[in-house]
Amino acid sequence: DFLHHIFVFIALGGIAGIILSFLSVRFLTRGLVRPLRSMQETTGAIARGEYGARVTVESTDEVGQLGDSINQLAQDLGQFMLEAGKTEKLRRDFFANVSHELRTPLSVIRGYSEAIVDGTMTEEKQTGNALRLIRDEAVRLERLIKSLLELSRLQSASAPCPLAPVSLPDIAGHVLNLLLPLADSRHIEVKFATDPDLPPILGNRDRLTQLLLILLDNAIKYTPPNGIVSLTFRQDGSHAVVCSVQDTGVGIPAEDLPFVWERFYKVDKAHQHEDGGAGLGLAIARQIIDLHKASVEITSELGKGTLIQVKFRTIAGAKDCQPSS
């Protein structure tokens, strides 16, 4: 009887141990399998393009660390796809804008040249007008292609831009000599002022000349007759020089200001002129500003004009700006 009771107790203890072990294993297995299933569902959602899916992390062990890694991967992948989508949109917009800008001059050149070849135009006066239009559109087409190539070179990481100490007033004097005839023909007064003993900056003379030409040409182009365009240089503190270009032109709507530096962007209502460009000038200007590690600020008011301020670092403040080659 004694042995019988011992065997019974041993059997009951063994059964209880087996049941307890089974429940413990099942609990531990469910605790391990549940997050793994969650990870499987999350990775499947990410594979379907649902980059906002996340794993619910409830522990700090290896499984929890794996969940954190999946969540970080989903976040990085979502950010990458967002940037890729923006890049793709920019690419599509770029090709659409290029196609649009090329279509008009090519259509004019083809139309008038076919009319001359087919003999539709026989009068000397008509033929002369047609040839002049073909020439003008060819020049506009050449200017557009040059601007595209220039923008491409500036955006290239290998674009040569040797920097050296330069004087902004000296560059401004050369630029003003080039643009004063245009301003006089439009009856626009150009004012120039600079602080005495303005320190030199670390820059590229050719690029800075191009920058001032773009900014002043735009200011003159969109200022009505009898208006004023001002170019000023002033020292801001001890390590910065501010270049300001201000006009009394038509101004830019506030909703358009964030986009004026983009390629092919045009302010339709305010800047649609017969001699309007392709919308690449300010995009090139922004690349030149970035190459000099300068900052730019633009403010405008409709009917009163626009102010563009570019802040360059002086040589003393640009010790970390090494010339690139």
Side-chain angles (χ1 to χ4, degrees), residues 104-114 133-134 137-138 141:
T104 301
L106 289 176
S107 298
V108 172
I109 293 172
R110 178 179 179 180
Y112 281 105
S113 60
E114 286 181 349
L133 286 172
I134 291 174
E137 292 302 313
L141 190 60

Side-chain angles (χ1 to χ4, degrees), residues 2 34 49 82 84 89 132 179 209 215 220 225 231-232 235 237 264 272 316 318:
F2 178 73
R34 186 170 60 250
L82 180 63
K89 184 179 183 301
R132 280 191 293 273
L179 292 179
T209 300
L215 297 181
I220 294 172
L231 172 64
T232 59
Q235 188 170 0
F264 295 106
Q272 285 300 324

Side-chain angles (χ1 to χ4, degrees), residues 25 54 94 100 121 158 164 171 173 177-178 201-202 209 289:
V25 170
R54 294 292 184 270
F94 175 76
H100 174 74
M121 290 185 179
S158 59
I171 297 176
N177 287 334
L178 296 176
I201 68 168
L202 196 62
T209 300
I289 293 171

